[in-house]
Amino acid sequence: MKRTGKYSPQKIAGWGLLILLILVTVTPLLWALRTALTPNAEIFSGNYSPIPEHPTLINFERVLGMTTAEENIAAGGTAATINFWLYMRNSLIFVAILVAAQVLTSTMAAYALSRLHFRGRDTIFVILLTALMIPPIFVALPNFVLMDSLAWINTFQGLLAPYALICPFGIFFLRQFMLSLPREVEEAAALDGASRWTVFTKMIVPMCSAPITTLAIIQAVFGWNEYLWPQLIAKAENVRLLNVALSVFAQSSPSTRPDWAGLMAAATLQIIPMFILLLIFGRKLVNSLGLTAAK
C-alpha cells in the first residue's frame, strides 16, 4: 500500500508536468547560450545539436569590446559595436534607484493605509487598486507628454519618475501583510511614549523585513526587464538601458540577418545579475510569498 501511494498516478502526472515546465523554461536559455558559443557562420549550418561543433568565446569578447571592427567582421559579425559596460551601468543605476524609491514609498503608504485611521483612507486604497488594472501602455503617452513638458526626455529623472513616485502593487502587497500584525505591540509602544515614526521604523519595518525583501526582488527583476518606457524616453547613449541597447544592436546589422551570435552573447551576459540575485535570495523569496499568502 505504501509503494502504491508513493508511485500513484497523481504524483507521476504531477512530476511529469513539473519536468515539462522546467524543460519549456530552461530550453530557450540553454539554446541562447549555445548560440552565443557558436561562430556566426555555423548557426544555420544544419547542426542543431545542444553542443556547438566549434565552440568559441569570440562573441562574448566582441560584446565586451575586447575586439576590433576587423575582428568582428572576421568572426561573422558586423562592425557595429555595443558599449556593454555603459549600458550595464545605466541599468544598474535605474534598478537600484527604482527599488529604493518603491520600497520606501510603498512601505510608508502601506503603513498609513493599514494602521492609521483618517478620512478617505479606503477610497484612496480603492483608487490604488484601480491603478493595478490599467495596462501600462495606456499611460505611456500622457507620461511622455508630461516628461517632455518638464524637459526630462533622455534623463534619469524622466526614466524613473513614473516608477519611483508610486507602486500600487507594492502598496497592496505590504498592506495585506501589515494588516495581520498584532496591534497590541503598537499600543504597548505608545504607552511607553514611542512616537508614530519610532513605531514605524523600530517595530513595523523589522517585522515586515521578509515581504519588503520580496518586494525589492520582484521590482528589481521588473525594472531589469522593463523595455517599453525606456525605449520611449531614454534613447541617448548616457541613459540608454541594456534592454534597449540590445534592440538597437539587433537592428544595426546592414544585412538582412541580425548578428545572432553577438546578440545572444549580450543577452546571456544580461541575465547574469538577476540570476545571481535570484540564486542568493530565491529561497527567501519563495518562503516570504508563502508566508504572505498564508496571512
Side-chain angles (χ1 to χ4, degrees):
M1 292 178 64
K2 291 183 179 180
R3 184 174 300 175
T4 303
K6 185 177 180 180
Y7 300 103
S8 64
Q10 293 85 352
K11 289 186 178 180
I12 294 175
W15 278 104
L17 179 60
L18 181 61
I19 293 173
L20 178 62
L21 291 175
I22 292 175
L23 290 176
V24 171
T25 303
V26 173
T27 299
L29 301 178
L30 295 179
W31 196 258
L33 178 61
R34 187 256 185 201
T35 305
L37 295 172
T38 304
N40 250 320
E42 298 181 8
I43 291 180
F44 299 99
S45 62
N47 177 23
Y48 298 110
S49 64
I51 301 176
E53 188 175 355
H54 301 97
T56 177
L57 295 176
I58 186 63
N59 299 316
F60 292 97
E61 295 173 358
R62 292 195 293 117
V63 169
L64 295 175
M66 302 170 61
T67 57
T68 63
E70 292 76 13
E71 291 174 330
N72 292 344
I73 296 175
T78 66
T81 59
I82 175 173
N83 196 341
F84 184 84
W85 295 115
L86 173 64
Y87 302 137
M88 174 72 80
R89 184 208 68 179
N90 293 342
S91 293
L92 290 174
I93 293 174
F94 171 73
V95 170
I97 298 177
L98 180 146
V99 170
Q102 289 194 348
V103 167
L104 177 62
T105 57
S106 297
T107 305
M108 297 177 70
Y111 176 72
L113 292 173
S114 62
R115 317 300 286 186
L116 305 182
H117 298 281
F118 55 91
R119 181 177 298 177
R121 185 188 68 171
D122 295 337
T123 303
I124 294 174
F125 181 65
V126 170
I127 294 174
L128 288 173
L129 288 182
T130 305
L132 284 173
M133 298 180 242
I134 300 176
I137 195 171
F138 284 2
V139 297
L141 181 58
N143 283 338
F144 182 86
V145 173
L146 177 60
M147 296 302 108
D148 185 51
S149 63
L150 295 174
W152 283 3
I153 302 296
N154 289 324
T155 63
F156 272 109
Q157 55 264 36
L159 186 63
L160 286 160
Y163 304 103
L165 298 180
I166 186 172
C167 177
F169 167 75
I171 296 173
F172 171 76
F173 181 74
L174 294 179
R175 175 186 178 272
Q176 298 308 109
F177 185 87
M178 290 183 184
L179 286 174
S180 64
L181 299 178
R183 291 188 176 274
E184 290 78 7
V185 178
E186 293 179 77
E187 294 171 357
L191 290 176
D192 290 337
S195 63
R196 282 286 185 184
W197 181 252
T198 302
V199 171
F200 172 69
T201 56
K202 302 296 184 181
M203 302 180 66
I204 299 299
V205 171
M207 286 191 291
C208 297
S209 60
I212 288 175
T213 303
T214 301
L215 176 64
I217 297 172
I218 292 174
Q219 294 308 110
V221 175
F222 163 78
W224 191 259
N225 295 327
E226 184 64 358
Y227 177 80
L228 176 61
W229 180 248
Q231 167 70 14
L232 293 174
I233 202 74
K235 295 185 178 182
E237 290 277 330
N238 61 326
V239 293
R240 181 180 292 168
L241 301 188
L242 190 54
N243 270 351
V244 180
L246 294 185
S247 175
V248 174
F249 179 73
Q251 299 170 12
S252 62
S253 175
S255 61
T256 56
R257 180 178 296 172
D259 182 4
W260 289 117
L263 184 62
M264 290 299 102
T268 302
L269 293 173
Q270 183 200 15
I271 68 174
I272 291 178
M274 291 301 105
F275 179 76
I276 295 175
L277 180 68
L278 294 177
L279 192 65
I280 297 174
F281 297 103
R283 183 176 296 275
K284 187 178 183 64
L285 174 64
V286 173
N287 293 340
S288 178
L289 286 176
L291 177 62
T292 305
K295 287 185 175 297

